Amino acid sequence: MGKRDFQIWLSKFRYSIADFGYYIDFNKVYKNTDSIKVELNILNSLIGSKNIEADFEKLVSKYPEILKCIPILLAVREYEIYAGENGNVKLFTFDKQINTISDYKLFMQKTGLFDLLSNHIINNLYDYVTGIETGLDSNGRKNRGGHQMENLVENYIKKAGFKRNVNYFKEMYISEVSKKWNIDLSAVSNQGKMEKRWDFVVKTNNCIYLVETNFYGSRGSKLNETARSYKTIATEMKNVKGAKFVWFTDGAGWKSAARNLEETFDILEDLYSINDMQNGIMKTLFK
């Protein structure tokens, strides 16, 4: 393959690879909310209460399991929460009744949860928590974006005729690769001090291909760091016999870090985009 033009290559990067499930994983949202549905319905009895502290105390004494619902009302997944004022912080535990009822009442009052419930600002805690879970799940988009690029690359590896756990492997550490095929990767592992995990390892009769994948739809400092890191790996891999480093990346975010990406492009022969995969690079790459 002749020398490629970096600017033409970069111009074909995508703004997104989002599928319809990228934005919110509603199955996960419903599963999380349903797991505390009974407890939420018990807590619903506090909505509009005129004597909420006393009603809360009665409810906790009768149904202590409702305590586990309290953190998610504040969009917190942990069952242990540190909170306080004027530098005096206390640990509140919600998966079991560790604190006194007075502590829990103080927590509910100071965080605004009593006000939320007693002043009828909401009508139904199940709906409220569904909304919170939806918001929390949106934080997972970055991970889903990374997984989507992995899935895309894996699909093209399969289309090229490779079979998982036969001649291609997902998520393998340097030490696993070295042991399985008796190959010296000390140049990449800093003499065994660094345990890097490859997204994929493709094995042919002639070579072991160590594959990294990522997609960056938006700009950020991570891009420059990634480009520099992979440039170092590309340089180190030149001293390794029997293995090659391959990087599949894409995303319009790279346009803000084009200079660093170009430096890696200039020394890493096997740096490819989604467009390259669509044009059949897998079939000529893995020999």
Side-chain angles (χ1 to χ4, degrees):
M1 183 165 57
K3 182 159 174 59
R4 299 178 295 169
D5 183 290
F6 175 75
Q7 292 301 331
I8 293 174
W9 181 71
L10 183 67
S11 71
K12 293 174 182 172
F13 275 27
R14 315 296 169 90
Y15 282 93
S16 176
I17 51 170
D19 60 22
F20 291 113
Y22 167 75
Y23 295 96
I24 297 293
D25 182 351
F26 277 111
N27 287 333
K28 182 181 169 189
V29 167
Y30 300 145
K31 183 181 177 184
N32 288 346
T33 312
D34 283 344
S35 71
I36 52 170
K37 186 175 184 177
V38 172
E39 292 83 0
L40 289 172
N41 283 329
I42 294 170
L43 269 177
N44 272 337
S45 65
L46 294 176
I47 293 177
S49 169
K50 301 301 181 194
N51 193 8
I52 194 159
E53 287 199 22
D55 290 343
F56 175 75
E57 186 168 343
K58 286 177 197 169
L59 217 55
V60 172
S61 65
K62 194 170 182 181
Y63 306 105
E65 65 272 18
I66 65 172
L67 289 171
K68 71 181 180 183
C69 299
I70 291 172
I72 198 64
L73 301 182
L74 298 171
V76 175
R77 291 210 188 279
E78 293 77 26
Y79 287 122
E80 293 188 338
I81 299 177
Y82 284 94
E85 51 195 359
N86 301 321
N88 297 314
V89 174
K90 189 180 185 81
L91 175 63
F92 295 86
T93 303
F94 294 95
D95 57 339
K96 45 189 176 288
Q97 192 170 347
I98 300 291
N99 302 80
T100 66
I101 191 66
S102 297
D103 286 338
Y104 291 123
K105 286 196 289 190
L106 178 72
F107 184 90
M108 296 289 286
Q109 193 255 319
K110 291 291 187 180
T111 56
L113 287 174
F114 273 161
D115 183 55
L116 178 78
L117 293 164
S118 62
N119 289 325
H120 218 127
I121 296 167
I122 55 173
N123 294 314
N124 183 296
L125 283 173
Y126 182 86
D127 294 344
Y128 173 78
V129 171
T130 301
I132 286 176
E133 285 286 355
T134 301
L136 289 174
D137 188 73
S138 68
N139 296 331
R141 287 177 191 165
K142 201 169 189 179
N143 286 336
R144 283 196 286 274
H147 288 312
Q148 285 179 331
M149 187 63 174
E150 280 183 24
N151 293 341
L152 193 63
V153 170
E154 186 169 14
N155 285 338
Y156 278 105
I157 291 174
K158 287 176 179 174
K159 284 180 184 175
F162 292 88
K163 290 186 169 64
R164 189 165 175 175
N165 297 328
V166 176
N167 47 16
Y168 90 86
F169 304 82
K170 191 171 182 180
E171 295 180 348
M172 282 188 83
Y173 286 99
I174 284 179
S175 59
E176 292 177 293
V177 176
S178 300
K179 188 176 178 183
K180 188 173 180 66
W181 291 292
N182 193 27
I183 185 168
D184 182 6
L185 292 173
S186 57
V188 190
S189 66
N190 189 18
Q191 307 305 314
K193 294 174 188 170
M194 186 189 78
E195 182 65 307
K196 175 169 180 52
R197 187 179 72 179
W198 307 102
D199 290 334
F200 298 100
V201 176
V202 178
K203 177 69 173 71
T204 67
N205 292 332
N206 304 312
C207 190
I208 300 165
Y209 297 88
L210 308 171
V211 180
E212 285 290 284
T213 71
N214 40 49
F215 184 94
Y216 295 106
S218 56
R219 63 178 64 197
S221 57
K222 176 78 174 166
L223 286 87
N224 290 324
E225 181 191 321
T226 301
R228 282 192 294 267
S229 170
Y230 288 1
K231 180 183 175 184
T232 301
I233 292 173
T235 304
E236 292 167 344
M237 284 296 296
K238 290 183 185 298
N239 300 317
V240 177
K241 290 181 180 177
K244 292 184 89 174
F245 174 45
V246 183
W247 180 18
F248 294 100
T249 194
D250 212 299
W254 276 118
K255 294 182 182 181
S256 68
R259 183 174 295 178
N260 277 315
L261 183 61
E262 186 171 13
E263 286 180 11
T264 310
F265 180 88
D266 287 341
I267 68 162
L268 179 56
E269 180 185 353
D270 295 307
L271 171 52
Y272 304 108
S273 65
I274 292 173
N275 187 64
D276 294 322
M277 288 192 281
Q278 289 180 335
N279 288 332
I281 192 63
M282 296 290 191
K283 289 179 181 172
T284 56
L285 168 64
F286 300 128
K287 298 172 185 172

